Amino acid sequence: MFSIISVLLAAAFGAASVNAHGYVQDVVVGSTHYTGYLPYQDIYMNPQPERIIRAIPGNGTFELVEECVQCNGYTDGGVIGSKPAPIFASPVPAGSQIGLNWTAWPDSHVGPIITYLARAPNDITQWQPGTDAVWFKIDEAGKTADGKWAATDGLYATDSIYTITIPPKLMPGQYIIRHEIIALHGAFDYPGAQFYPSCIQIEVTGTGNALPTSGLVAFPGAYTPDTPGIVFDVYDNPDSTYPIPGPAVWTGGN
Ligand SMILES: *[C@@H]1O[C@H](CO)[C@@H](O)[C@H](O)[C@H]1NC(C)=O
Ligand SMILES: *[C@@H]1O[C@H](CO)[C@@H](O)[C@H](O)[C@H]1NC(C)=O
Ligand SMILES: [Cu+2]
């Protein structure tokens, strides 16, 4: 029974791999490595390994209109977002760095790397944000003045590791990190941009008390066809700046 299901799943994912491209495979906090959710291995294991990243169906993508723009998750029984993961990284001291280790990223897939946080109001292993406006941006990288894209040139220069810093004055608590690449090779039209979010569960420690109270956004919702940077012709704009989608980076915790 199990093997028949595996074969069917493998066939389904094989078909999806035609436009398949990557995910975060490893998260580094201090000297601790947390293996990411591995979509081509974890589902075949019994029991399934416990991960800090919410499950994703594969290395593929989807269009903005779909509900999985929140966490790249399965839309489980109509739930927007993803199933919570069973564990979280802890402790993650406020002010510390986190390394996000991507699988090999195709060089056609130029685009920005953007990171949001959302503070869980209760147990993060049970929490699904749904359509609530709970997300704030803590980091973004798009295209440099000399035309280098974060998702390709940037990752190639750092061994596929993107490093973020947890705001030093951030209020302690459980947070989802929503870390994404938006691939723009098809973004000259709508819907053409491809979204590759990962949702990583952490517990932040410290003595800060900063938390934004306004300007929070929802996923889906934060990006629309009219949001600057969602439609963008990377081929016709070699010299122009790229407007990174979403709200301004929150600096109140710095
Ligand atoms: C995506 O997954 C497919 C199916 O397993 C695989 O063939 C392909 O190499 C993967 N691509 C990347 C970039 O990991
Ligand atoms: C990224 O993760 C892969 C898979 O676990 C590992 O082989 C590789 O060494 C990691 N890269 C770095 C720079 O730690
Ligand atoms: Cu793609």
Side-chain angles (χ1 to χ4, degrees):
M1 182 61 141
F2 182 75
S3 62
I4 291 171
I5 291 171
S6 300
V7 168
L8 292 174
L9 284 171
F13 286 137
S17 73
V18 173
N19 54 4
H21 308 191
Y23 51 90
V24 174
Q25 60 184 339
D26 184 46
V27 178
V28 189
V29 180
S31 57
T32 305
H33 285 255
Y34 296 90
T35 301
Y37 182 86
L38 304 177
Y40 301 105
Q41 299 173 29
D42 287 6
I43 47 164
Y44 302 119
M45 295 175 72
N46 189 7
Q48 294 195 10
E50 297 197 314
R51 307 298 193 196
I52 66 169
I53 300 188
R54 296 189 169 199
I56 59 172
N59 61 15
T61 187
F62 48 84
E63 291 165 348
L64 184 54
V65 286
E66 295 182 28
E67 297 167 342
C68 29
V69 74
Q70 182 179 101
C71 287
N72 197 358
Y74 300 92
T75 54
D76 200 12
V79 173
I80 292 172
S82 61
K83 277 189 240 176
I87 60 171
F88 47 86
S90 181
V92 179
S96 65
Q97 293 190 323
I98 297 182
L100 302 153
N101 177 342
W102 282 84
T103 51
W105 191 255
D107 62 5
S108 60
H109 285 43
V110 297
I113 301 181
I114 310 175
T115 306
Y116 296 82
L117 291 180
R119 190 169 194 273
N122 46 42
D123 181 358
I124 199 168
T125 67
Q126 305 292 324
W127 185 46
Q128 292 179 307
T131 53
D132 291 351
V134 292
W135 304 93
F136 55 100
K137 190 189 274 180
I138 60 160
D139 187 272
E140 63 181 16
K143 191 169 77 161
T144 62
D146 58 349
K148 303 251 189 281
W149 287 99
T152 49
D153 311 288
L155 284 179
Y156 300 157
T158 57
D159 239 347
S160 296
I161 309 278
Y162 191 84
T163 301
I164 59 166
T165 300
I166 300 300
K169 295 178 182 158
L170 185 68
M171 181 184 290
Q174 296 180 338
Y175 290 84
I176 301 175
I177 300 172
R178 181 184 177 281
H179 176 71
E180 74 180 337
I181 291 178
I182 305 177
L184 298 175
H185 52 292
F188 44 85
D189 226 343
Y190 182 87
Q194 298 181 348
F195 299 82
Y196 298 86
S198 278
C199 282
I200 301 146
Q201 300 180 173
I202 63 169
E203 180 170 62
V204 174
T205 57
T207 56
N209 63 0
L211 196 64
T213 52
S214 61
L216 303 178
V217 297
F219 284 101
Y223 302 155
T224 72
D226 299 326
T227 302
I230 294 298
V231 175
F232 187 84
D233 190 332
V234 293
Y235 313 106
D236 272 2
N237 292 277
D239 302 320
S240 66
T241 55
Y242 172 70
I244 298 173
V249 171
W250 176 67
T251 55
N254 293 351

